[in-house]
Amino acid sequence: MITRYFPADALTKVVASLADERRVLIPVTQPAVKKSVIFAPFSAGMTVELHKASVAPKEAVLPQCETLLTYSKQKDAEDPSKVNLVLDDKPQAQPTIVFGCRPCDARGFAVLDRPYLDGPFIDPYYQARRKQLIVITQTCPSVGTTCFCHWVGSGPNSTTGSDIMLTAIDGGYVLEAVTEKGEALLAGMKLEDGAPFMDKAKTARGTVEAQLAPAPDLTQAQEKIAARFNDNTFWEEQTAQCLSCGACTYMCPTCYCFNITDEGDGVCKAGRRLRTWDTCMSPLFTREASGHNARMSKAQRMKNRISHKFSTYPENWGGEFSCNGCGRCINNCPVNLDIRAIVLAAINEKGA
Amino acid sequence: MSVLAGKELRIVGFLCNWCSYGGADTAGVARATQPTDLRIVRVPCSGRIDPLFILRALLHGADGVLVSGCHPGDCHYAEGNYYARRRLEILKQFLPVLGIDPRRFEYTWISASEGQRWQLAVTKFTQQIHELGAAPAFENAEKLIQIADMALTALRPLGTGQHAALADLKKAIVEKLPELDCVIGWQQSYDAAHSAPLFMRKPEDVEKLVWGPLNVNNLATYLPQYKGKKVGIVVKGCDSRSVTQLLQEGLINRDDVVVFSMPCEGTLDMARINQALGAYQHIDKVAYDEAGVSITADGKEHRFCMVEYAQGKCYSCATPGAVLADVRLGTPTPVTGTPATPPELALLDSMSLSERFAFWHTQMERCIRCYACRNACPMCVCRDYCVAESRDPHWLTQEDTATEKFFFQTIHALHLAGRCTGCGECQRACPVGIPILALRQQIARAVAQTFEGYRPGMNAKATPPLMGFTVEENNIKEKDWNK
Amino acid sequence: MRIGVFICHCGSNIGGTVDCAKVAALAATFPDVVYATDPMYTCAEPGQAAIEEAIKNYQLDGVVVASCSPRMHEPTFRRTVERAGLNRYMFEMANIREHVSWIGKDIEANTNKAAELVKMAVAKLRNNKALHAASFDVNKKVLVIGGGVAGIQAALDCAEGGIPVVLVEREATIGGKMAKLDKTFPTVDCSACILGPKMVDVAQSPNITTYAYSEIESISGYVGNFTVTIRKKTTYVDWSKCTGCGACTEKCPSKKTPDAFNEVTGLTTAITIAFPQAIPKKAVINAQHCKKLLTGKCGVCAKTCPTGAINYEMKDELVTETVGAIVAATGYDLVDWTQYEQYGGGRYPDVITSLQYERLLSASGPTGGHIVRPSDGKEPKNVVFIQCVGSRDRSIGRPYCSGFCCMYTAKQAVLTKDHMPDSQSYVFYMDIRANGKLYDEFQRRAVEEYGTEYIRGRVSKIYPDGKGHLIVKGADTLLGQAVEVEADLVVLAVGVEAAKGAARLAEKLRISYDSYGFFMESHVKLKPVETNTAGVYLAGVCQGVKDIPASVAQGSAAAAKVLSLFSKDKLQSDPQISQVDIKRCIACGKCVQTCPFGAIELFDFRGQQKARVIETVCQGCGLCTATCPQGAIQLAHFTDNQILAEVDALCQC
């Protein structure tokens, strides 16, 4: 695989050169008393800093809000009762690079790909974006208190979902292609060959790997969580703190649920069909048109979220968890609800 | 088709059917010449006018909004305009913090016989709007980054609660527990530097209870869902105001709640603590002393003085002790001086209107609409039925424009008018750090200024200002505008 | 939806300054509009027929008419669409006359504005829902407020029609101002002789319950079902025992009590019966002058009363009546003329009001019908009448004409000559307004047969000459010279204003009043008896100045309105009321707390508290809708989404 190297002070220049031809999403610190880091398009004048983002970069393939179609009603000039409906449902996509996300973020793309591309129905909007996406992932330079990627099949150096891996070494960065897409991109970049620096990169990766605390065994999670399905008391106890907001799911790199609404069909003659993020933690998620709600209580909703990530998704998709262990749902939760604790409690049956 | 370019501006009128719409008719019958800009929405009563209609118009392209109803005392529905007067006045005082010129909104009273007065009102208001010019569009606001200065002086000594009678509190809870469904308190969360709510059902749960500056959550948020059950709650002073407010609104029953309180010495601003700690894998030690806390993470010690790292709300807090409590342990430290303007609000106060518009646009763009602000709010009683996500009524689209996101914040703030106790949970809960508390603080300031220093959550028996009225309002000078 | 739009020219009223054809063409481009046209007169019979036809031909399920104010013709067009099979609420109006064509001449701007108002109406209509009225029982009983001639007439006509009447009068006797008059123009017949029998009819009608010396405390409810609380003021006399014999008034030692019935031209006793023909003929103690009530010492009346009716401990009493309709006939009071410094500001005893002069003329008045000067009791020779005192005067905020002063002044001049053949009357006037039947003829007689000297001009000053006369200085604007008259008595034709407390009563009735306190009718020409509150009607001067024939006519008209309302056993309720979306309601009770009518209650719904609207009590103000944070209670026809559609149509397109 092709490798490249560039010195630390060239980081912004490298991103800028990539941004000449495509949209490059980089983690951007949002100044405030409470700082957050959001993926945003690189533009001239920005300085690139590779902080771990507060919000996962799934925006690149699944925007918070996208227009699925626009329609306008064009009236016959002679007979106003004759209306010609004009539809435009072309997916809007542009070549995009996600630059500097973490392995836990990149693994999210692999998790999203399965339902959107590998199932019985291919989502054309997702597909259009995904095809034009290149993911350049930074191997994790440190481990956080809420990180548990290595519990769930990822790790600080996992390449799942990435096209290119970026590793910070003393004085510079090493780029290493993972996929053909990544190869092609690296081949076109006029940068130093990375081969001489690969050893340093591997050392850096190893140092972080070594910091990881031992992971609990989650191999039984799929069955054990499924077995908890009717244990309402358990879910109620685990969910007491939950406020039913959407911080966990919207921050999550693997949550892919959406809502569809039609807007603008007022007197404006044109309307649009929007797809927006939805959250299974909201009571509205399962409220039916009749008013009936399949998951009235937050305990039922939490059961769904945990079960989906650790039991039903693996059941459907070859045993893979739809959780990357990024920990965002823990440290962004207004009440610090810890998904790790719930999963461990669920699989460690009483006394086990 | 829209307003005539260069000639007209977009002015929306909301008129009550019985007086002002009739007054506008009377003006028409008298052939009283008026500017053509205004478009009138007819409503039965000024009391029907949700201030949000006005905000929606102003945020979505209106250059001015004029409301007119029956003169106070003459309401066709007896009292509608008395309520309207209070709500519209608070709206008017709210607009500047958003960056909207308050002169773009006026309200007045015109009877069905006062055609001439209507003519004057329309003429004067249209002229006023033309002098202001076309309203700036929120979506086009420029980027502006400013950060509140957190170097603040507290009204009382801030500390770490190490002398608090935690053992006594635990004992008191264990004693009461048999008659209660649960008692809500705090426990250590995923590490020793973070806390989380604790639901104590069994005596052994009580052992997990912690007390100190990490107990940031306002647990009153959980109370309404327990309505009908007997529960206990441990409160800080600020939390107790939320409990009081919930009682005032009948959202919980006094007999069903046992309030345990200890004097609060301030809570830590976890956003800044986390920032300072950076990425760490393990908390080695959390050591308290009188002045602050030292947290050792991955072998590195970080020092946090309470006077530097308290939450913004704590500095101007004048209620360290609970407003109401059934079990009260310890004595709160005395409060001296008068509260200063809260930091984020002070920052906005220092800005021009256009800067505020730009500030909010810059901030709101990153909102992910997770509604943590709403769900953490103890006063957000609509819960599962918030208008943010409903189609009927359809106040908000699901679009991710800054305008829609900002409009939600104004809905939340206006719904909290006269109810918000300033606990700051909305802002603390925001995962992307938008300083939204300032909007609620401006509403609270307007309410206090207009209604004789009224502070929500201080008296469960008081009538909330926007749920009542007086025939003569001492501090509302709406009649001055249209003289 | 399939919407039809009709842009009315209203002749040239709209068509003159709005390009109606262009508005119709623009309307045709709006969503769901399948038909748009611009008729000449939409409200006329062919215009309405065209709407009905279009509904059928184009299968319309909603109609927008852009024409005059919906306050004018919304009911008309609602009936039109209903005739063609649509629900009456699938209709919207755009007001392009009062709010567009009549207030500006810029055709481009007017046309654009008209089109936008149509766009708003279309946007709202697209959110409209068919609404269906419920029916409810009518309490066929009427409350008449005010026992003057208008109220008496309304009460008698209703009673005659078989309707129970509750008549509430503020004073101790009914009769109002007319009872104080000596004679009436233009026939110069005795006021007491023509009003008296009507008063007796009131007393004798089995259908009329009279509460004299009583006021309205509060009113709640709605058309067909009002609940009225009446405050019976303390009389200190048990009227169930009082026979009106008058023994008490003869013995009462407080004989220096100002006589209100006689407009304080004379004195009476502290316990008094207003006048011999009073209905009810009952005694009342004036607490301000009763020795017993002031000092505790006296009690003569109690000792005198043969039936033991006197009760010094009596307190106000509140009684409740339920009625289905209300007639307000509260009359008028005189403007406070003492603000006119040039007329002495009330300091000269021989400057009196015309109503005081009526009492001097009246045989039942304090002087037994002899005209004497209040200052010295001597008969005057020169009497000067000044018109328009407190009428047609912008400087004191009374720009309107009081209507009947010209005529009663002529009458008083005639009567002056009759009483004192060698007297001379002078009338200072601005214009003579004598437009009633036989009025002008009468006024001419005052001049031609009775030698009254009419001087066109205002009086600038009245002052005493020190020899017992008043010098009246003025201008004769016809001759263009100053005039000075030596008067023995000056009578001011003081203008009228709404009765004291009218505004407060209007608030209780939830009706509008103008800046002078006169009650607002529904339409100044076409609905002069109705108010904007269903079931509340107006009679007499409370609605605007008018003379006795007009007051009587309006009293009868109000009665006719009541009788026609009561001709139905059930009334249709307005379906524009609030509705609770029970799924969204969280029973926070904010709507219950703020509803001005107590029309919302909490109830138990499958174990959960929910709010519900009491349909017949809800008045449709929508305060609850603006109060409910989650939008769970929506005012039908003015829902959030309907108003939002209008706002969006304006702001977002």
Side-chain angles (χ1 to χ4, degrees):
Chain A
M1 285 288 176
I2 297 180
T3 58
R4 288 286 183 268
Y5 170 83
F6 61 89
D9 57 9
L11 177 60
T12 299
K13 220 174 78 191
V14 169
V15 171
S17 71
L18 290 170
D20 283 344
E21 285 170 35
R22 332 173 149 68
R23 180 173 69 142
V24 179
L25 299 174
I26 56 163
V28 179
T29 302
Q30 309 289 316
V33 172
K34 179 177 183 176
K35 290 190 176 63
S36 57
V37 180
I38 311 273
F39 278 93
F42 174 85
S43 61
M46 280 180 163
T47 307
V48 181
E49 286 175 42
L50 298 178
H51 298 294
K52 183 175 173 182
S54 319
V55 187
K58 68 179 172 191
E59 177 92 33
V61 284
L62 193 65
Q64 186 185 339
C65 175
E66 68 176 311
T67 304
L68 296 183
L69 61 86
T70 55
Y71 61 91
S72 60
K73 293 170 181 168
Q74 293 176 357
K75 286 194 161 190
D76 188 290
E78 297 301 312
D79 179 0
S81 67
K82 282 189 189 148
V83 175
N84 188 22
L85 190 71
V86 181
L87 272 184
D88 176 8
D89 62 352
K90 270 197 301 293
Q92 291 159 5
Q94 54 178 317
T96 299
I97 291 174
V98 169
F99 189 96
C101 65
R102 300 295 172 93
C104 52
D105 296 331
R107 184 179 182 273
F109 296 114
V111 172
L112 300 185
D113 284 346
R114 296 184 191 103
Y116 281 110
L117 300 176
D118 302 345
F121 176 75
I122 294 171
D123 185 295
Y125 303 93
Y126 181 91
Q127 188 182 40
R129 289 198 175 85
R130 188 69 177 97
K131 266 187 180 164
Q132 302 185 63
L133 179 70
I134 296 173
V135 182
I136 303 179
T137 305
Q138 184 192 14
T139 59
C140 261
S142 60
V143 182
T145 178
T146 54
C147 290
F148 62 107
C149 53
H150 58 303
W151 296 21
V152 291
S154 181
N157 304 309
S158 162
T159 59
T160 311
S162 302
D163 296 301
I164 296 169
M165 300 306 287
L166 170 82
T167 302
I169 58 168
D170 211 13
Y173 293 94
V174 178
L175 291 161
E176 183 185 10
V178 177
T179 62
E180 282 173 16
K181 249 196 229 174
E183 288 242 302
L185 183 72
L186 280 193
M189 289 173 81
K190 295 187 180 67
L191 294 174
E192 227 175 300
D193 182 23
F197 303 91
M198 275 315 288
D199 283 348
K200 275 189 177 176
K202 279 176 185 154
T203 311
R205 293 177 191 172
T207 312
V208 178
E209 200 90 42
Q211 290 172 14
L212 298 172
D217 179 9
L218 299 188
T219 48
Q220 300 294 306
Q222 186 182 323
E223 293 75 23
K224 286 192 172 176
I225 289 174
R228 286 277 186 192
F229 194 80
N230 291 318
D231 188 353
N232 292 334
T233 316
F234 171 80
W235 294 110
E236 273 159 25
E237 277 173 14
Q238 296 298 328
T239 317
Q241 301 166 4
C242 175
L243 298 173
S244 298
C245 75
C248 48
T249 52
Y250 289 172
M251 296 292 176
C252 178
T254 69
C255 277
Y256 52 79
C257 290
F258 58 80
N259 188 20
I260 292 180
T261 48
D262 285 357
E263 303 286 3
D265 182 34
V267 172
C268 308
K269 297 176 198 170
R272 52 220 178 273
R273 175 159 297 169
L274 305 176
R275 171 155 76 180
T276 45
W277 289 352
D278 202 354
T279 169
C280 59
M281 302 307 279
S282 160
L284 272 77
F285 189 75
T286 46
R287 190 185 295 156
E288 296 166 9
S290 66
H292 172 71
N293 195 336
R295 295 185 203 130
M296 277 296 279
S297 76
K298 60 184 184 180
Q300 291 170 308
R301 300 193 285 269
M302 182 67 82
K303 174 174 76 177
N304 170 70
R305 175 165 155 253
I306 305 294
S307 300
H308 182 258
K309 290 195 178 303
F310 291 92
S311 183
T312 51
Y313 185 96
E315 190 182 315
N316 290 330
W317 301 107
E320 297 281 353
F321 294 129
S322 68
C323 169
N324 303 341
C326 71
R328 285 193 180 91
C329 58
I330 305 167
N331 55 28
N332 285 306
C333 174
V335 296
N336 292 333
L337 200 61
D338 192 342
I339 192 172
R340 294 171 299 189
I342 301 177
V343 172
L344 291 179
I347 60 174
N348 293 323
E349 291 154 56
K350 267 210 171 78
Chain B
M1 179 185 50
S2 62
V3 289
L4 295 176
K7 210 165 173 181
E8 287 180 345
L9 289 170
R10 170 62 72 220
I11 303 177
V12 182
F14 292 94
L15 272 64
C16 83
N17 177 56
W18 302 102
C19 290
S20 297
Y21 196 92
D25 283 356
T26 305
V29 171
R31 311 298 195 274
T33 309
Q34 296 158 41
T36 54
D37 309 47
L38 180 83
R39 314 283 186 256
I40 295 171
V41 176
R42 184 168 66 127
V43 292
C45 176
S46 52
R48 170 67 190 92
I49 303 166
D50 192 324
L52 294 171
F53 288 129
I54 297 155
L55 257 179
R56 164 100 152 206
L58 288 172
L59 281 176
H60 280 108
D63 300 308
V65 176
L66 178 64
V67 166
S68 186
C70 305
H71 288 274
D74 299 356
C75 181
H76 180 75
Y77 302 103
E79 296 170 354
N81 56 4
Y82 288 131
Y83 287 98
R85 178 168 58 182
R86 288 192 161 194
R87 294 167 187 186
L88 297 171
E89 177 61 26
I90 293 301
L91 173 72
K92 193 160 167 63
Q93 295 184 37
F94 180 49
L95 294 178
V97 81
L98 307 177
I100 298 174
D101 195 316
R103 290 171 295 178
R104 293 195 182 276
F105 162 60
E106 299 288 359
Y107 62 103
T108 187
W109 317 118
I110 286 164
S111 81
S113 65
E114 293 175 325
Q116 202 178 12
R117 191 181 161 89
W118 172 251
Q119 178 192 26
L120 288 174
V122 177
T123 309
K124 189 172 170 187
F125 186 68
T126 308
Q127 195 182 347
Q128 182 169 316
I129 298 304
H130 277 269
E131 277 162 19
L132 292 169
F138 188 66
E139 283 301 324
N140 299 341
E142 299 198 350
K143 202 172 176 72
L144 176 72
I145 293 162
Q146 285 202 36
I147 303 170
D149 181 6
M150 300 303 283
L152 304 163
T153 311
L155 296 180
R156 62 197 161 102
L158 295 175
T160 58
Q162 291 318 293
H163 298 297
L166 182 59
D168 293 346
L169 176 63
K170 286 181 177 174
K171 207 172 131 222
I173 292 172
V174 171
E175 273 170 26
K176 290 267 187 193
L177 207 49
E179 53 189 271
L180 300 171
D181 191 79
C182 70
V183 176
I184 314 170
W186 299 269
Q187 62 183 327
Q188 182 188 312
S189 177
Y190 55 80
D191 65 31
H194 294 86
S195 81
L198 167 68
F199 294 78
M200 296 168 265
R201 292 195 164 79
K202 303 181 288 287
E204 53 265 39
D205 296 336
V206 181
E207 278 315 301
K208 296 182 197 159
L209 182 67
V210 295
W211 181 264
L214 293 173
N215 289 1
V216 290
N217 297 79
N218 180 351
L219 306 173
T221 303
Y222 296 105
L223 284 181
Q225 60 187 284
Y226 286 95
K227 192 178 180 185
K229 291 179 183 163
K230 270 195 89 130
V231 291
I233 183 169
V234 189
V235 297
K236 308 185 290 289
C238 52
D239 307 338
S240 75
R241 288 181 63 192
S242 302
V243 176
T244 309
Q245 189 59 28
L246 289 168
L247 287 169
Q248 186 192 65
E249 298 183 24
L251 296 159
I252 53 175
N253 300 323
R254 185 67 189 91
D255 295 344
D256 293 343
V257 186
V258 178
V259 180
F260 300 89
S261 94
M262 289 209 288
C264 174
E265 295 173 50
T267 52
L268 287 164
D269 183 346
M270 295 312 295
R272 288 188 290 148
I273 302 286
N274 288 336
Q275 192 78 36
L277 292 175
Y280 64 88
Q281 204 173 355
H282 189 256
I283 297 291
D284 307 313
K285 194 175 154 198
V286 178
Y288 295 94
D289 55 52
E290 293 295 325
V293 54
S294 297
I295 301 176
T296 311
D298 293 350
K300 189 179 169 201
E301 187 180 304
H302 303 261
R303 170 71 188 161
F304 301 107
C305 270
M306 284 304 292
V307 289
E308 284 169 33
Y309 279 91
Q311 288 201 74
K313 66 169 179 175
C314 297
Y315 294 93
S316 50
C317 171
T319 51
V323 174
L324 89 169
D326 300 293
V327 177
R328 200 186 283 273
L329 298 160
T331 324
T333 47
V335 175
T336 50
T338 42
T341 307
E344 283 91 357
L345 189 56
L347 172 67
L348 282 152
D349 282 349
S350 72
M351 295 182 195
S352 68
L353 289 170
S354 59
E355 284 171 337
R356 289 175 202 162
F357 229 38
F359 172 80
W360 285 120
H361 187 263
T362 308
Q363 295 290 333
M364 292 316 303
E365 268 197 308
R366 68 174 177 275
C367 166
I368 55 167
R369 298 186 85 165
C370 69
Y371 295 118
C373 49
R374 174 191 71 191
N375 289 31
C377 173
M379 297 321 300
C380 264
V381 295
C382 304
R383 302 284 165 185
D384 302 356
Y385 299 97
C386 177
V387 292
E389 294 141 319
S390 73
R391 298 288 289 190
D392 187 8
H394 190 190
W395 285 96
L396 282 172
T397 73
Q398 299 308 307
E399 277 155 309
D400 62 348
T401 60
T403 310
E404 288 299 277
K405 296 166 180 176
F406 193 40
F407 188 44
F408 172 72
Q409 291 303 326
T410 65
I411 294 177
H412 190 201
L414 281 170
H415 280 177
L416 285 170
R419 307 171 62 233
C420 175
T421 60
C423 75
E425 285 290 88
C426 48
Q427 178 161 319
R428 192 190 61 74
C430 179
V432 291
I434 306 174
I436 46 180
L437 179 57
L439 296 175
R440 286 82 177 157
Q441 287 167 337
Q442 171 56 25
I443 292 263
R445 182 163 66 179
V447 166
Q449 280 168 359
T450 312
F451 305 113
E452 277 81 25
Y454 182 86
R455 292 173 73 216
M458 299 303 285
N459 176 3
K461 298 274 187 298
T463 303
L466 297 190
M467 290 289 124
F469 63 86
T470 53
V471 171
E472 296 296 331
E473 297 283 4
N474 294 331
N475 304 313
I476 300 181
K477 305 279 179 254
E478 84 282 5
K479 285 190 172 140
D480 293 352
W481 174 73
N482 189 25
K483 262 191 183 142
Chain C
M1 258 188 107
R2 295 177 63 84
I3 295 172
V5 178
F6 299 81
I7 314 294
C8 182
H9 286 251
C10 195
S12 63
N13 278 307
I14 295 169
T17 55
V18 172
D19 183 345
C20 295
K22 189 176 171 194
V23 176
L26 284 167
T29 68
F30 299 156
D32 293 351
V33 174
V34 299
Y35 177 70
T37 184
D38 54 325
M40 190 50 72
Y41 287 106
T42 316
C43 65
E45 203 277 329
Q48 293 193 47
I51 294 176
E52 291 178 56
E53 211 168 297
I55 290 171
K56 285 174 187 133
N57 291 347
Y58 296 92
Q59 298 94 50
L60 303 179
D61 45 22
V63 168
V64 169
V65 171
S67 58
C68 50
S69 171
R71 284 165 57 99
M72 176 91 171
H73 270 319
E74 191 173 58
T76 311
F77 293 121
R78 279 181 173 172
R79 284 194 297 271
T80 310
V81 301
E82 206 165 42
R83 279 199 302 277
L86 295 191
N87 183 278
R88 52 166 50 207
Y89 295 95
M90 298 309 287
F91 169 77
E92 284 297 325
M93 257 181 116
N95 184 346
I96 61 168
R97 194 178 74 176
E98 284 84 344
H99 293 184
V100 182
S101 71
W102 276 354
I103 59 167
K105 293 194 165 62
D106 180 338
I107 292 179
E108 185 198 16
N110 281 359
T111 303
N112 180 60
K113 181 175 176 182
E116 285 213 323
L117 295 182
V118 172
K119 183 166 70 168
M120 283 166 71
V122 169
K124 173 155 189 283
L125 179 59
R126 295 175 84 220
N127 286 275
N128 281 13
K129 287 189 174 69
L131 301 176
H132 301 280
S135 62
F136 59 91
D137 292 331
V138 186
N139 181 357
K140 294 186 182 181
K141 193 170 173 186
V142 64
L143 167 71
V144 177
I145 308 171
V149 67
I152 287 173
Q153 188 65 42
L156 287 175
D157 285 359
C158 287
E160 186 72 15
I163 301 298
V165 179
V166 176
L167 177 62
V168 175
E169 167 56 47
R170 175 156 69 182
E171 304 299 333
T173 174
I174 61 168
K177 296 288 188 294
M178 188 176 171
K180 298 186 179 190
L181 305 181
D182 177 38
K183 302 277 185 339
T184 56
F185 62 81
T187 46
V188 202
D189 44 3
C190 162
S191 183
C193 310
I194 54 174
L195 181 64
K198 281 187 183 288
M199 291 167 65
V200 172
D201 286 350
V202 168
Q204 290 180 347
S205 168
N207 274 341
I208 301 177
T209 309
T210 304
Y211 292 97
Y213 212 60
S214 298
E215 292 189 37
I216 301 299
E217 183 75 7
S218 65
I219 299 171
S220 62
Y222 50 93
V223 59
N225 294 282
F226 292 104
T227 301
V228 184
T229 309
I230 299 161
R231 177 176 292 275
K232 291 170 73 177
K233 295 182 285 185
T234 317
T235 57
Y236 303 102
V237 178
D238 183 344
W239 281 11
S240 65
K241 294 179 183 163
C242 176
T243 60
C245 69
C248 52
T249 66
E250 283 161 25
K251 291 284 181 339
C252 176
S254 301
K255 296 195 190 299
K256 291 196 172 163
T257 305
D259 188 350
F261 183 79
N262 281 324
E263 295 285 312
V264 296
T265 52
L267 297 171
T268 182
T269 44
I271 186 163
T272 180
I273 295 171
F275 69 111
Q277 294 81 26
I279 298 285
K281 195 175 180 189
K282 305 285 181 188
V284 175
I285 293 178
N286 182 333
Q288 263 94 56
H289 293 85
C290 170
K291 286 200 168 95
K292 173 77 180 172
L293 290 169
L294 289 172
T295 66
K297 295 186 190 116
C298 182
V300 172
C301 52
K303 285 171 213 143
T304 313
C305 180
T307 61
I310 310 298
N311 175 4
Y312 301 114
E313 305 299 317
M314 194 182 250
K315 294 270 175 295
D316 285 7
E317 189 190 339
L318 294 179
V319 293
T320 302
E321 290 277 357
T322 56
V323 297
I326 300 173
V327 176
T330 51
Y332 64 95
D333 277 313
L334 296 186
V335 171
D336 174 20
W337 71 272
T338 58
Q339 59 193 307
Y340 286 97
E341 275 301 313
Q342 62 269 43
Y343 303 151
R347 291 188 305 278
Y348 311 139
D350 294 334
V351 179
I352 62 172
T353 70
S354 46
L355 204 50
Q356 288 175 320
Y357 196 55
E358 289 289 339
R359 295 315 299 152
L360 295 182
L361 290 168
S362 171
S364 65
T367 59
H370 296 298
I371 303 172
V372 295
R373 294 171 15 128
S375 60
D376 53 11
K378 289 183 186 156
E379 204 171 76
K381 277 270 176 301
N382 288 349
V383 180
V384 171
F385 294 91
I386 304 175
Q387 304 248 256
C388 299
V389 178
S391 298
R392 302 178 68 191
D393 187 349
R394 282 175 206 280
S395 71
I396 64 153
R398 290 288 177 269
Y400 54 87
C401 169
S402 291
F404 47 56
C405 319
C406 288
M407 290 311 298
Y408 71 62
T409 299
K411 174 198 74 181
Q412 289 179 342
V414 165
L415 292 173
T416 305
K417 199 75 177 172
D418 277 345
H419 281 245
M420 305 179 297
D422 56 347
S423 66
Q424 176 61 48
S425 294
Y426 301 86
V427 178
F428 283 89
Y429 72 102
M430 287 167 73
D431 301 288
I432 295 298
R433 295 184 168 177
N435 59 348
K437 189 173 179 180
L438 299 175
Y439 286 11
D440 199 62
E441 297 91 316
F442 180 77
Q443 194 271 333
R444 281 178 183 283
R445 274 171 58 204
V447 178
E448 290 161 9
E449 292 177 28
Y450 289 82
T452 310
E453 195 166 325
Y454 271 74
I455 304 160
R456 189 179 192 275
R458 301 288 286 181
V459 169
S460 58
K461 196 170 168 66
I462 302 172
Y463 59 93
D465 66 354
K467 291 174 247 165
H469 305 294
L470 291 163
I471 307 299
V472 180
K473 283 184 78 163
D476 186 329
T477 54
L478 293 178
L479 296 174
Q481 61 188 38
V483 198
E484 214 173 89
V485 181
E486 193 184 87
D488 300 308
L489 184 66
V490 177
V491 179
L492 306 177
V494 179
V496 304
E497 61 186 13
K500 283 176 190 67
R504 247 176 305 133
L505 181 66
E507 286 157 21
K508 289 172 187 166
L509 287 165
R510 299 196 305 276
I511 60 175
S512 310
Y513 54 94
D514 66 19
S515 45
Y516 317 113
F518 293 114
F519 298 153
M520 290 281 288
E521 58 288 314
S522 262
H523 189 277
V524 71
K525 288 183 288 285
L526 302 177
K527 288 185 173 179
V529 178
E530 296 94 324
T531 65
N532 280 331
T533 299
V536 177
Y537 305 100
L538 304 176
V541 182
C542 69
Q543 177 256 339
V545 290
K546 53 180 69 69
D547 55 17
I548 293 168
S551 293
V552 171
Q554 200 178 12
S556 284
K561 285 285 166 194
V562 172
L563 291 169
S564 90
L565 177 75
F566 289 174
S567 66
K568 302 171 203 97
D569 291 328
K570 298 255 185 193
L571 287 181
Q572 299 274 297
S573 68
D574 187 341
Q576 296 176 82
I577 56 170
S578 288
Q579 296 167 343
V580 177
D581 178 348
I582 212 150
K583 294 192 296 295
R584 296 185 68 79
C585 175
I586 57 129
C588 69
K590 292 182 175 64
C591 53
V592 179
Q593 201 178 340
T594 51
C595 176
F597 308 101
I600 311 172
E601 60 188 2
L602 293 177
F603 75 112
D604 185 88
F605 178 77
R606 298 179 191 163
Q608 282 184 306
Q609 287 271 293
K610 296 284 176 185
R612 75 174 160 209
V613 175
I614 309 164
E615 284 188 16
T616 47
V617 183
C618 176
Q619 300 289 296
C621 68
L623 181 60
C624 53
T625 311
T627 302
C628 178
Q630 68 269 37
I633 187 163
Q634 292 285 335
L635 175 61
H637 213 57
F638 291 96
T639 63
D640 284 343
N641 279 2
Q642 286 171 320
I643 296 172
L644 283 171
E646 293 182 87
V647 174
D648 289 351
L650 282 180
C651 296
Q652 292 190 12
C653 297

